[in-house]
Amino acid sequence: AGVGLRLAALAPGRIDRAVLVVPAGIADVPVGSMVALAAGYLGYRAVARRAFVESTVRRLTGGDPDPLFVESTALAFRGTALDTEMPRKATPEELRDLSAPVMVIAGEHDPLFRPERILPRARALFPNLVAAETMPGCAHILTPACADALATRIGPYLEGAD
């Protein structure tokens, strides 16, 4: 979403419709959430205990983590440097020329982009907002069930139905 918002600011005519899911660039991330996630990453980098990764993944998925996803995250933690810089917040002035309809969907349990922060700001940011919704039971990283529900919800919209 953060990249999409930069595109919308620079080339709004290139966008026919937009769906921003668990979106960066709309509202600030709560500091406590960022610190908790960074602690899991840094803890794992320091002592390589799987529990740090599982805890981080549990926060992001909102449930019991899939073992393959935990292992993939552990590999990413070992092989990457933490980037703590989030996309900057978009402004109404930047998006004034965006005429495409916009849908914003937040995860009910997303620790980074919380619905109570994202949805009101989306209403203020996009005069062409067609929907600002919360995916019940979903977090930042979508489970297969959440991904299926999302696809069902946005499929008709992306095909042209408002």
Side-chain angles (χ1 to χ4, degrees), residues 13 19 59 62 68-69 72 74-75 77 80 91 106-107 122 128 141 160:
V19 178
R59 286 188 207 306
L68 180 59
F69 190 73
S72 298
L75 290 169
F77 279 8
T80 60
T91 66
N128 45 349
I141 296 173

Side-chain angles (χ1 to χ4, degrees), residues 1 5 18-24 26 102-110 112-123 126 129-142 146-158:
L5 288 171
V19 178
L20 305 174
V21 180
V22 295
I26 291 181
V102 176
M103 178 183 286
V104 175
I105 300 178
E108 177 183 20
H109 303 297
D110 188 341
L112 298 174
F113 309 120
R114 295 183 177 162
E116 65 271 15
R117 289 175 177 238
I118 296 294
L119 301 181
R121 181 106 200 305
R123 290 180 188 100
F126 302 108
L129 188 70
V130 296
E133 302 174 4
T134 300
M135 288 187 297
C138 300
H140 186 71
I141 296 173
L142 303 182
C146 287
D148 288 346
L150 177 66
T152 298
R153 172 64 183 101
I154 69 173
Y157 169 74
L158 291 175

